[in-house]
Amino acid sequence: MNTLPAQMSNSGGTWHLFVPLMNASVWPAHDWARSAPAPTVAERERALNDLGYESAPGHHWIWTEDSEIYDDPTSSVRLIATVLIAPRVLGGAS
């Protein structure tokens, strides 16, 4: 199974999920028009499904934090969620 990462972050007040694809000028993405609360796992999975993906079996969302301004401990924190995904299989084996 080919997997790739999906990421979700909040910068500028809204949550943004995207799938970074190599050699693509536009990445599949989904936005939530709210700053809080963070999208639930179910909302994230629905968004991935709408984009044609699903979480890879056995993989779960992992959260990390980063600074808005590199190496500045007084900087605002940016939360980033990541999960490995795979293309969604429609139907099944016959």
Side-chain angles (χ1 to χ4, degrees):
M1 171 182 291
N2 291 332
T3 60
L4 62 154
Q7 291 192 334
M8 183 183 75
S9 65
N10 183 331
S11 59
T14 61
W15 288 97
H16 181 72
L17 179 141
F18 59 94
V19 180
L21 299 175
M22 297 289 288
N23 303 316
S25 59
V26 178
W27 293 345
H30 179 86
D31 290 310
W32 287 271
R34 67 176 193 249
S35 60
T40 65
V41 172
E43 289 174 309
R44 289 177 252 156
E45 293 301 324
R46 276 194 302 271
L48 285 173
N49 279 210
D50 289 347
L51 297 173
Y53 298 94
E54 60 190 359
S55 292
H59 292 275
H60 306 283
W61 289 89
I62 298 171
W63 288 89
T64 190
E65 66 178 54
D66 197 4
S67 300
E68 288 287 330
I69 301 170
Y70 176 75
D71 207 24
D72 180 353
T74 65
S75 174
S76 298
V77 172
R78 176 180 289 179
L79 294 175
I80 303 166
T82 305
V83 68
L84 284 180
I85 61 171
R88 192 167 59 124
V89 178
L90 299 177
S94 332

